[in-house]
Amino acid sequence: MFDYDDQNIFAQIIKGEIPADIVFEDDDFICFKDIAAQAPTHLLLIPKNQKVASIAAIQSEDVHWLGAMMILATNIAKDHGLNDSGYRLIFNSGEGAGQTVFHLHLHIIGGKKLSGQMV
Ligand code: AMP
């Protein structure tokens, strides 16, 4: 279920093989707009150098880059003006949770009043 496929669509975006609307990129992470945005701001933050299919597949040795990723997510949310309105950071893990791309990614969602319903 959590096998990593080098040809997944986010791996292709990281390699520049297919385009994306990139809002942030450094050596370790890339963040781009979700192609099917579910809110005025809907970004995907993705590690570039980790072959991890899902948050359920992380190991204790992943703590450093994963912590950096979470801090980066809050900074990107702030840069997009989401601090005042509020936002959600979401990992979908597994097909039962709606995960469709098996390269770890964090949804950054905001820019509108979000439902009180989590599911
Ligand atoms: P998940 O359902 O958690 O696996 O999220 C995958 C997300 O990737 C979905 O919200 C899709 O809309 C988004 N997505 C799929 N292909 C692309 C693409 N080429 N560029 C940007 N976002 C994409």
Side-chain angles (χ1 to χ4, degrees):
M1 182 182 195
F2 297 120
D3 290 344
Y4 185 82
D5 172 11
D6 280 316
Q7 292 308 311
N8 76 77
I9 196 155
F10 294 165
Q12 293 177 58
I13 288 174
I14 290 166
K15 287 184 271 188
E17 293 173 355
I18 62 170
D21 195 343
I22 298 167
V23 301
F24 174 88
E25 185 168 15
D26 67 8
D27 287 345
D28 299 316
F29 299 100
I30 187 169
C31 184
F32 50 86
K33 295 182 181 178
D34 195 296
I35 204 167
Q38 297 183 32
T41 301
H42 187 168
L43 307 173
L44 300 169
L45 177 59
I46 293 171
K48 292 167 66 173
N49 305 313
Q50 310 297 330
K51 294 187 176 185
V52 177
S54 167
I55 192 70
I58 59 162
Q59 306 290 324
S60 54
E61 61 261 31
D62 297 318
V63 64
H64 183 73
W65 66 261
L66 190 60
M69 181 175 169
M70 299 308 296
I71 291 169
L72 177 58
T74 66
N75 287 333
I76 290 172
K78 184 178 179 185
D79 289 347
H80 283 77
L82 301 183
N83 266 9
D84 289 341
S85 56
Y87 60 91
R88 288 196 179 129
L89 304 179
I90 298 172
F91 290 105
N92 292 325
S93 181
E95 291 173 7
Q99 186 175 4
T100 57
V101 181
F102 286 83
H103 179 121
L104 179 83
H105 54 280
L106 180 61
H107 295 259
I108 302 172
I109 296 175
K112 70 171 186 178
K113 177 74 175 169
L114 298 171
S115 160
Q117 297 278 88
M118 290 296 291
V119 292

